[in-house]
Amino acid sequence: YSKPKNLALGKEVKQSSTYTVGVKTWHQPELASNGDIRGEGEKYCTHTTRDSQAWWEVDLGAVAVVEKIIFWNRTDEPMDRGQPRDYFTKRMFPCWVLVSVEELPDKREDGLEEALDVADCARRFDDNVRCTEWSVPVNTTGRYVRIQLEKKDFLHFAQLEVCGTWG
């Protein structure tokens, strides 16, 4: 038995788009696989533009046995007190987490349905919480792990961990 570890750390990642404002270089997809779960504002989170079914994905580089997926939402609240406190955090839900041995389609418009067809394992999440954990079905294998929104919105979150073993 090998103890599961975070296989996503430092792996190749991509997302449907990257939100940029002026000279800021934040929001890159690598922020969600660097081990930093803080989420204290957009500076520490990956961030897409307001896409239809925005997504973020990690390529583990090889097929692995996946045991658990953990993702960490943002923690900050808007400076504008006229906005609800969960204005940023609620954008994350509903979302889907998909695990696949095969590469998932990059379509921006209505790509979720196609991605679900390719995925070996998937689950929908609705609850606006800071940390979401999913113990995937036993013997799940995959190389690609994606988090994808169900609707049109910004996708921004602090971290996604893929806990598993190689082989």
Side-chain angles (χ1 to χ4, degrees):
Y1 175 77
S2 295
K3 183 179 179 184
K5 62 180 183 172
N6 183 4
L7 304 175
L9 279 173
K11 295 296 190 251
E12 184 178 326
V13 292
K14 60 184 179 177
Q15 58 194 23
S16 55
S17 64
T18 301
Y19 182 74
T20 56
V21 179
V23 296
K24 292 181 183 176
T25 57
W26 310 334
H27 313 127
Q28 299 302 313
E30 292 81 11
L31 288 173
S33 64
N34 65 4
D36 186 350
I37 64 168
R38 281 183 289 182
E40 299 162 353
E42 62 180 325
K43 186 175 177 180
Y44 300 101
C45 297
T46 187
H47 201 314
T48 68
T49 58
R50 191 170 181 266
D51 296 337
S52 176
Q53 300 176 341
W55 53 266
W56 177 95
E57 179 180 293
V58 61
D59 176 355
L60 300 175
V63 174
V65 177
V66 179
E67 292 187 24
K68 186 187 325 183
I69 296 173
I70 305 167
F71 59 94
W72 301 84
N73 203 349
R74 283 176 76 159
T75 61
D76 60 319
E77 298 175 3
M79 299 279 260
D80 177 358
R81 294 299 167 207
Q83 298 289 353
R85 293 177 70 185
D86 67 349
Y87 184 73
F88 297 135
T89 61
K90 71 179 179 181
R91 290 177 177 167
M92 186 84 193
F93 304 97
C95 71
W96 285 82
V97 176
L98 302 88
V99 179
S100 180
V101 171
E102 295 179 40
E103 196 167 351
L104 296 164
D106 283 354
K107 280 181 69 178
R108 283 192 185 197
E109 299 293 323
D110 304 319
L112 178 59
E113 190 171 316
E114 283 186 34
L116 287 168
D117 286 343
V118 173
D120 296 288
C121 183
R123 181 166 171 203
R124 183 178 193 264
F125 296 91
D126 294 308
D127 296 331
N128 181 3
V129 293
R130 165 72 171 122
C131 178
T132 302
E133 289 191 29
W134 174 33
S135 294
V136 300
V138 175
N139 296 324
T140 294
T141 58
R143 175 176 172 171
Y144 303 93
V145 178
R146 177 181 287 186
I147 189 164
Q148 188 160 358
L149 296 182
E150 201 173 81
K151 58 188 184 337
K152 183 175 185 171
D153 211 340
F154 299 95
L155 173 63
H156 46 73
F157 63 100
Q159 199 70 199
L160 185 129
E161 300 173 27
V162 180
C163 302
T165 54
W166 298 113

